[in-house]
Amino acid sequence: MRVRLVSTSHFAAAHRLHRDDWDEATNRRIFDKCNNPHGHGHTYGLAVTVEGEIDPETGYLMDFGHLKRAVDESVVRRLDRRHLNFDVDFLKGVNPTAENIAVAIWGQLADRVAPGRLVRVALQETERNSVVYEGGAP
Amino acid sequence: MRVRLVSTSHFAAAHRLHRDDWDEATNRRIFDKCNNPHGHGHTYGLAVTVEGEIDPETGYLMDFGHLKRAVDESVVRRLDRRHLNFDVDFLKGVNPTAENIAVAIWGQLADRVAPGRLVRVALQETERNSVVYEGGAP
Amino acid sequence: MRVRLVSTSHFAAAHRLHRDDWDEATNRRIFDKCNNPHGHGHTYGLAVTVEGEIDPETGYLMDFGHLKRAVDESVVRRLDRRHLNFDVDFLKGVNPTAENIAVAIWGQLADRVAPGRLVRVALQETERNSVVYEGGAP
Amino acid sequence: MRVRLVSTSHFAAAHRLHRDDWDEATNRRIFDKCNNPHGHGHTYGLAVTVEGEIDPETGYLMDFGHLKRAVDESVVRRLDRRHLNFDVDFLKGVNPTAENIAVAIWGQLADRVAPGRLVRVALQETERNSVVYEGGAP
Amino acid sequence: MRVRLVSTSHFAAAHRLHRDDWDEATNRRIFDKCNNPHGHGHTYGLAVTVEGEIDPETGYLMDFGHLKRAVDESVVRRLDRRHLNFDVDFLKGVNPTAENIAVAIWGQLADRVAPGRLVRVALQETERNSVVYEGGAP
Amino acid sequence: MRVRLVSTSHFAAAHRLHRDDWDEATNRRIFDKCNNPHGHGHTYGLAVTVEGEIDPETGYLMDFGHLKRAVDESVVRRLDRRHLNFDVDFLKGVNPTAENIAVAIWGQLADRVAPGRLVRVALQETERNSVVYEGGAP
């Protein structure tokens, strides 16, 4: 039987949307108030989904605690209470839009959730906005 | 990289489930308390999902603010504080079930969310009930 | 030991803010889009709080099921899928603002929640707005 | 027009993760604190999704009230305030992991939601963890 | 400046409402389905509120992390994945109604939250029901 | 009749807990990861409560839209997408703990909500933590 597990977490981080290779006016025009020089932040909500078969021995796809630890170690501890433009190795050189963060989180998790198979990273940035990445190339 | 953006909104509207070409008994039998003559209402929750590629220049599929404005202008402002049986041009002649409203909202939005591609309209009617329309023909 | 129980419910209703003894312009100026002629509606959230002592025999202030039934019978069934300007006896002649509805709900419940004592009616009208009435005179 | 309806419910149940054919040490190692001898419990959240065409006569895929009753009768009333290891016929002999419960709920509902077609059972066990079953074989 | 901090947690536990000194019929009549022999359970939500002055040095009433650890150690770890009728020392001999659990949690926390002063324990049992205890004698 | 209105909002901001007059070790010991040099951030939830009498003419304590605009203009627009240590005039020289932010928001709002009387500012920093300020001196 194939099922999906969803594990949700939160992390509090600052970011600033900005490209160093653009002038200030362009940065301001494209990223608007999200380009404010000192940055701003969010309490991001993260929902990670893995897919796989139920192990007939345990009745688990995988232990939720195991999945939670993988997400905490690979992602949450490295992002929580950080500035995403400066403090996170796997975001170096990345403009931290919600889209880019979701894709980067996928990269950190894809090899860490066996026997599950990573199928979805959903990142909620505000009470109105969220991004979903399912690993798809165009 | 292909991602999805989800933008959520709310609108407060009245409606009455009713067909003018049915007699009262049939209306009452099929639509039950939702056929009450003076109508009732909901604080509808709306979640609009668009899909597309991340623009490597901006790191955006599209600006969340742009998507929010499209939803506000095309849908929310035209439905909020309205009676769906009387006040909304794009619902004229439509029996305003949640299913029909979701399909009608799709029609208003499909051409307004470029460079995103509309892939999902989810409409929550009560704390228990919601409808999802993904543009599918049978 | 004195405790409080909170029982939450929902009802879907239409309303229109309007005073028959005012002219149209005044109604429109004061109540704005909430004065639209055909009305609009909300999925109202209702949280009723009662206070009292824990019965040492049962460990209950009162059975949650008993409180729920009191709220359902006195309030929810009479408001759900109704138009508050036309269909509800205990709102006859009342301009159905959230404030007035909360006070009117108090009137229906105050004698129905023994051995609890009604101490709070909280009515959520939209995702942003709610009213709290605690029975207080000025 | 093909749409999906989602009906959400809750039930409060106890369970213990345990296999009678394993020794205590193995049960404890695999199921950890979820193997505590007396069991523990959850307020499970259940979201049932059905898919189908909108009936052009009614504007409904199906009446939400009808779907709610099917879920209540087939699932919620049989699980609410029960111990899943002892009290539920359709879980007899099943180790009540969230995965296995979701699959078993599917079995109870698949024939009860016509004219809808069951496409998704989502079961939330805690504020962090949920399982999704879409009927898929490996 | 006097402020309040609210720290929220969850725990998953089983319970059965039952008095050993009552006969079965009385237990069943009073506690209804909550008296089912094998018990049932909930994902309880817990919101602990403390009051105190803001320390002008730190800008804290107290560190949220410190409050969270106090709640985790004194309450959550001792209740999570437990059967409240059997497994919890500070509930021995207590009929685990939501009211009684809230009062008992107060007893465990009152001396552990300095420099805050415990003023409120709110315990959510289901999506509809919660209890608030503020330490009050009748 | 005296009632309370609650208006909720959100703002996304960065902050760093830090005192310039302390050495780095002390800052790190007291504020821990919230002292990270580049700051972090939150999607703050804000619930503003005002109290007053229902105007018998309008049935309003005050128009929710009026209260919302007061909160938006005095608070939300000045905090949203900002770094609280650098960008906000009314937080100059304030160590932006949740406690201090809540008190400062009170100061901006107290004169702006007539005919309501400000009675409560609740600020949610994370999914687990919130602060309540009711204007009280010790």
Side-chain angles (χ1 to χ4, degrees), chain A residues 7 48 85 87 89 100 103:
Chain A
S7 177
V48 170
N85 298 60
D87 299 335
D89 54 359
N100 282 340
V103 172

Side-chain angles (χ1 to χ4, degrees), chain C residues 17-35:
Chain C
L17 302 189
H18 185 77
R19 287 190 57 149
D20 292 339
D21 56 338
W22 287 358
D23 61 28
E24 284 198 24
T26 307
N27 269 304
R28 187 70 199 180
R29 182 173 48 81
I30 299 295
F31 297 124
D32 197 46
K33 61 184 178 178
C34 296
N35 180 247

Side-chain angles (χ1 to χ4, degrees), chain F residues 14-31:
Chain F
H15 74 153
R16 182 199 185 194
L17 301 189
H18 185 78
R19 287 190 55 151
D20 292 338
D21 56 338
W22 286 357
D23 61 28
E24 284 197 24
T26 307
N27 270 302
R28 187 71 197 179
R29 181 171 50 80
I30 299 296
F31 297 124

Side-chain angles (χ1 to χ4, degrees), chain C:
Chain C
M1 297 293 189
R2 177 186 297 146
V3 295
R4 292 182 161 203
L5 304 189
V6 186
S7 178
T8 62
S9 316
H10 290 84
F11 58 90
H15 74 155
R16 181 198 186 193
L17 302 189
H18 185 77
R19 287 190 57 149
D20 292 339
D21 56 338
W22 287 358
D23 61 28
E24 284 198 24
T26 307
N27 269 304
R28 187 70 199 180
R29 182 173 48 81
I30 299 295
F31 297 124
D32 197 46
K33 61 184 178 178
C34 296
N35 180 247
N36 282 349
H38 292 105
H40 62 284
H42 303 281
T43 312
Y44 289 91
L46 174 65
V48 170
T49 306
V50 300
E51 187 176 87
E53 315 307 320
I54 303 179
D55 179 335
E57 287 299 303
T58 59
Y60 280 169
L61 157 49
M62 66 189 290
D63 188 327
F64 271 121
H66 183 82
L67 177 57
K68 174 183 184 297
R69 275 189 298 277
V71 177
D72 279 355
E73 286 168 18
S74 308
V75 179
V76 173
R77 287 187 203 172
R78 295 160 76 194
L79 300 180
D80 190 40
R81 316 290 154 158
R82 308 288 177 168
H83 195 301
L84 304 182
N85 299 59
F86 301 108
D87 299 334
V88 183
D89 53 0
F90 69 83
L91 291 173
K92 275 278 155 19
V94 175
N95 186 19
T97 60
E99 290 91 330
N100 283 341
I101 302 169
V103 172
I105 287 174
W106 178 285
Q108 298 306 306
L109 273 173
D111 294 338
R112 298 290 305 276
V113 295
R117 190 169 55 255
L118 186 63
V119 294
R120 190 171 216 252
V121 168
L123 185 70
Q124 180 164 23
E125 201 175 68
T126 71
E127 79 289 2
R128 291 192 63 142
N129 299 342
S130 54
V131 169
V132 176
Y133 180 61
E134 298 183 332

Side-chain angles (χ1 to χ4, degrees), chain B residues 99 102-103 106 131-138, chain D residues 1-5 50-55 61 117 119:
Chain B
E99 289 91 328
V103 172
W106 179 285
V131 169
V132 176
Y133 180 61
E134 299 184 331
Chain D
M1 297 294 188
R2 178 187 294 148
V3 294
R4 291 181 163 207
L5 304 189
V50 300
E51 188 175 89
E53 314 309 320
I54 303 179
D55 179 334
L61 158 47
R117 188 170 56 255
V119 292

